[in-house]
Amino acid sequence: MKLSQFKFKLPDELIAQKPAEERDGARLMVLNRKTGEIEHKAFKDVLDYFDENDLFVFNDTKVFPARLYGNKEKTGARIEVFLLRELNEEHKLWDVLVEPARKIRIGNKLYFGEDESMVAEVIDNTTSRGRTLRFLYDGPHEEFKQALFSLGETPLPEYITREPDAEDEERFQCIFAKNEGAVVVPAAGAHFSREIMKRMEIKGINSAYLTLHFGLGNFREIDVEDLTKHRMDSEQMEVTPELVNIVNKTKDQGHKVCAVGASVMRGLASTVSMNGHIKEFSGWTNKFIFPPYDFTVCNSLISNFHMSESTMLMLVAAFGDFDHVMNAYDVAIREKYRFGVYGDAMLII
């Protein structure tokens, strides 16, 4: 398939700038992937499509405050630093993006905080905007991380054009988030409130968790028309023995396995073995899913409405049938569904 097949025109006013008032207050479009039939529901209705012993798989990655601003030594130029991941605890090395990148060279020092007490030195160039920073901090690792994160802000995607606020600290995070390492919230999971989780429990619907540290690569522009030539950024993930057991057991008993979010679908597809079973995994995945693709683990997917030409849209189209999904997106625009991480959701069954 070609990149241009995933292009659509999205009016700016449909890109959600704020979350719904209530965590579970979004709209829900339900798409039947076999017939293309569409229903318009509220997210709170999502459990109506599931029964006892069905399984929801969530991503329990936790977003950290990855965007911070520093001043360059001597010139005092304001530099945005986006923390991607920690490379080495002992030496306090971080993989980051910097903006404007042309001003930042190896050997430069950056100062953070009102008192400029946090200092970092640029020790490597990794990509056009990528740098490796060494933070010059004396003290235990946990104390350093706490000090560093206190300087950061919620890393809202660029299509959200406002400054982050206190509400984002809570809402750009799932209620079950636990394993720190993401710079993007698994948006489908963020719709799940304590009330919905309780209703799941009462109905006998099971839940399980994988960890996939959702990264900025999901928002990187694809610069090739031939999708077979695109390479995804690698993301760290973990599939535990507990998850393997419950997924495989649910499959064997003929119940539904629902991936809550594109990251979960990618993670499960990265560990699939024989008979639609999954296996234990701890490492990195750069799996890129686009149509056609044979999914053998999950038979339903919850996902937000994604941007034009995005890798997440491609995965959704691979699962839900390309024609049905692109038609559903046309309907979503006509019906004024909200797009992006703070937008509305789609359930594909």
Side-chain angles (χ1 to χ4, degrees), residues 63-70 78-84 94 111-114 118 135 144-156 163-166 168-169 172 183:
V63 179
F64 62 92
R67 185 179 279 117
L68 43 153
Y69 295 91
R78 187 174 193 246
I79 307 294
E80 178 186 314
V81 174
F82 196 103
L83 304 171
L84 295 175
W94 277 78
Y111 295 85
F112 302 92
E114 284 183 18
M118 180 71 75
F135 284 92
F144 158 67
K145 284 261 293 262
Q146 201 173 346
L148 180 64
F149 288 174
S150 72
L151 299 168
E153 65 181 33
T154 305
L156 298 179
E163 293 294 311
D165 57 28
D168 294 310
E169 290 178 31
F172 202 72
V183 296

Side-chain angles (χ1 to χ4, degrees), residues 264-275:
V264 172
M265 188 66 92
R266 273 185 63 226
L268 292 175
S270 300
T271 66
V272 72
S273 58
M274 304 293 285
N275 307 322

Side-chain angles (χ1 to χ4, degrees), residues 5-203:
Q5 291 175 265
F6 294 91
K7 187 166 189 166
F8 61 88
K9 190 159 176 48
L10 179 64
D12 286 347
E13 64 268 19
L14 295 186
I15 299 174
Q17 297 293 313
K18 299 276 283 184
E21 207 164 301
E22 301 294 331
R23 193 176 272 279
D24 53 14
R27 294 164 74 191
L28 178 72
M29 179 187 285
V30 183
L31 172 67
N32 185 309
R33 63 189 180 131
K34 293 188 175 65
T35 66
E37 183 191 348
I38 288 170
E39 297 175 84
H40 302 288
K41 299 284 186 176
F43 192 81
K44 289 180 180 181
D45 301 327
V46 70
L47 301 188
D48 295 349
Y49 295 86
F50 296 91
D51 300 309
E52 189 175 0
N53 294 319
D54 287 344
L55 175 67
F56 281 2
V57 183
F58 298 99
N59 184 358
D60 67 3
T61 187
K62 187 175 184 182
V63 179
F64 62 92
R67 185 179 279 117
L68 43 153
Y69 295 91
N71 297 318
K72 187 180 169 188
E73 64 176 335
K74 295 179 183 160
T75 67
R78 187 174 193 246
I79 307 294
E80 178 186 314
V81 174
F82 196 103
L83 304 171
L84 295 175
R85 59 176 172 259
E86 188 170 39
L87 300 172
N88 182 293
E89 275 192 22
E90 186 187 350
H91 298 293
K92 301 181 177 67
L93 301 183
W94 277 78
D95 186 14
V96 307
L97 298 176
V98 294
E99 194 69 51
R102 68 183 185 282
K103 293 187 173 181
I104 302 301
R105 297 187 174 86
I106 292 173
N108 288 160
K109 283 199 172 72
L110 296 171
Y111 295 85
F112 302 92
E114 284 183 18
D115 58 356
E116 299 193 333
S117 57
M118 180 71 75
V119 185
E121 182 180 8
V122 181
I123 62 167
D124 196 13
N125 294 336
T126 51
T127 62
S128 59
R129 289 179 59 210
R131 302 289 185 270
T132 303
L133 294 189
R134 178 171 59 220
F135 284 92
L136 312 174
Y137 186 94
D138 287 330
H141 181 255
E142 275 311 306
E143 184 186 289
F144 158 67
K145 284 261 293 262
Q146 201 173 346
L148 180 64
F149 288 174
S150 72
L151 299 168
E153 65 181 33
T154 305
L156 298 179
E158 287 177 0
Y159 58 71
I160 294 180
T161 53
R162 61 178 177 81
E163 293 294 311
D165 57 28
E167 183 188 27
D168 294 310
E169 290 178 31
E170 181 201 344
R171 295 297 295 278
F172 202 72
Q173 198 82 271
C174 298
I175 59 172
F176 42 75
K178 140 174 121 165
N179 296 310
E180 191 177 83
V183 296
V184 183
V185 63
H191 294 295
F192 281 78
S193 61
R194 284 181 174 76
E195 184 203 349
I196 287 187
M197 302 295 271
K198 190 67 187 168
R199 281 172 49 215
M200 278 174 60
E201 200 183 309
I202 291 165
K203 197 168 180 178

